[in-house]
Amino acid sequence: MRRGKTAYLDNVAIWFKADQNHIHIAVADPECLHRTAGPDPASKRGHPHLFPTLFKALRNAGVSHPPIPENQNT
């Protein structure tokens, strides 16, 4: 579905891989998108602003998510 400049995709998946401490985002068609976001800003995949947003989405969906940081009110 599309509204203006925004596309609403039904085939987007988000999941957490504990061994990497990364959250993955993918579109069903592998040629479209598969990216990761991690909490470490020094990492190539680090995205300290996106990571907490995705963390909350996973937590609110009731699926596996990163541990809740002790110093963060989420």
Side-chain angles (χ1 to χ4, degrees):
M1 177 174 62
R2 192 183 108 187
R3 285 193 197 140
K5 295 180 181 180
T6 303
Y8 293 86
L9 307 173
D10 292 329
N11 58 349
V12 175
I14 303 172
W15 68 96
F16 175 63
K17 284 193 79 172
D19 62 330
Q20 299 173 346
N21 197 31
H22 285 164
I23 296 173
H24 291 249
I25 309 166
V27 175
D29 181 350
E31 293 182 17
C32 289
L33 172 75
H34 181 185
R35 299 290 183 260
T36 59
D40 181 4
S43 168
K44 179 179 180 180
R45 308 244 185 270
H47 205 304
H49 301 292
L50 179 60
F51 191 81
T53 302
L54 295 174
F55 159 85
K56 290 174 188 175
L58 291 170
R59 181 196 61 199
N60 293 347
V63 297
S64 177
H65 57 78
I68 298 172
E70 289 182 26
N71 61 350
Q72 187 173 350
N73 296 326
T74 55

